[in-house]
Amino acid sequence: MTLEARTKPANDLRADTVGIMAVVVGPSGAGKDTLMNLAARHFAGRPDVHFVRRVITRAGDPGNEDHKSVSDADFDAMERAGAFAVSWEAHGLKYGIPADVMDELARGNLVIANGSRSVLHRFQAVFPRLKIINITARRDVLAERLTARGRESREDVMKRLERSSLTVEGSYDVADIDNSGTLEDAERAIIAVLEALIGM
């Protein structure tokens, strides 16, 4: 897989980011998008909690994530104009975290973004106060969920999962949430982690 990550130059970023950036990551099938949607519903109406709407070069929304869909050309133009705090490429798509999250952080707010384990070092370079929320599940649970999507055989899914890591590598502040059990348990867990970050 080819993956490229970019950030704005450090001197272009706001230095007064007193809020916390929480980046939610996890393997396919772990339920990351579902849990983020549930958390967003829980915190709806809270001015001190901001869920990031990513910019993605993906038409429509085939999954659970509410995002802004743009063309490759528009994404590149936005990037040149400094519209992103962090941007990266993965699996043939481009992803951007809008630069206006810096305003939310400057107000001392909690900002939550859907991220990727492969580019966490880029988030760390931009956001001085960073929390990683790693959504995981047992490999057999992931295999069952991924096989149910019908895109791969269970054998292919298991081979891919055996090669992958479910942990976050590097020196980050990480909260692991196991979503192998009930969705309600995982929902309570992610809400508890986010509640603890508010006002820190």
Side-chain angles (χ1 to χ4, degrees):
M1 177 186 73
T2 300
L3 186 147
E4 178 184 349
R6 298 174 297 278
T7 66
K8 293 172 64 181
N11 58 7
D12 286 345
L13 295 172
R14 296 278 295 276
D16 52 347
T17 51
V18 296
I20 297 178
M21 167 62 78
V23 181
V24 183
V25 300
S28 295
K32 177 177 64 173
D33 291 339
T34 298
L35 288 176
M36 287 190 70
N37 287 338
L38 290 170
R41 184 175 67 184
H42 175 84
F43 290 104
R46 288 282 299 266
D48 54 348
V49 180
H50 175 73
F51 283 81
V52 176
R53 187 168 183 246
R54 295 194 298 182
V55 178
I56 308 176
T57 55
R58 178 171 63 199
D61 190 5
N64 288 325
E65 181 181 357
D66 176 26
H67 67 276
K68 180 178 180 180
S69 179
V70 299
S71 67
D72 275 57
D74 285 344
F75 188 99
D76 292 343
M78 293 174 71
E79 189 171 46
R80 288 193 298 270
F84 304 128
V86 178
S87 60
W88 68 96
E89 295 182 22
H91 307 292
L93 297 173
K94 298 177 181 179
Y95 300 82
I97 303 297
D100 61 10
V101 300
M102 306 307 288
D103 296 327
E104 296 290 340
L105 292 169
R107 297 184 189 104
N109 294 337
L110 171 63
V111 176
I112 302 102
N114 192 332
S116 170
R117 288 175 295 174
S118 301
V119 295
L120 287 179
H121 61 290
R122 298 293 181 170
F123 280 88
Q124 190 174 55
V126 173
F127 303 108
R129 304 188 70 202
L130 182 67
K131 180 76 173 186
I132 310 303
I133 301 176
N134 183 39
I135 310 297
T136 63
R138 297 192 314 271
R139 279 186 168 80
D140 61 308
V141 173
L142 294 174
E144 182 178 342
R145 293 173 183 169
L146 294 173
T147 302
R149 295 179 181 179
R151 301 171 190 167
E152 300 174 274
S153 69
R154 184 176 179 84
E155 182 181 1
D156 288 339
V157 167
M158 288 303 297
K159 287 180 180 178
R160 179 157 61 86
L161 289 174
E162 287 169 5
R163 294 193 302 268
S164 64
S165 172
L166 302 182
T167 61
V168 173
E169 304 295 334
S171 57
Y172 303 103
D173 181 6
V174 182
D176 290 304
I177 294 176
D178 189 334
N179 190 23
S180 302
T182 69
L183 185 59
E184 290 77 10
D185 285 345
E187 178 185 3
R188 283 193 291 270
I190 191 172
I191 288 172
V193 170
L194 295 175
E195 287 277 12
L197 295 175
I198 296 173
M200 286 184 61

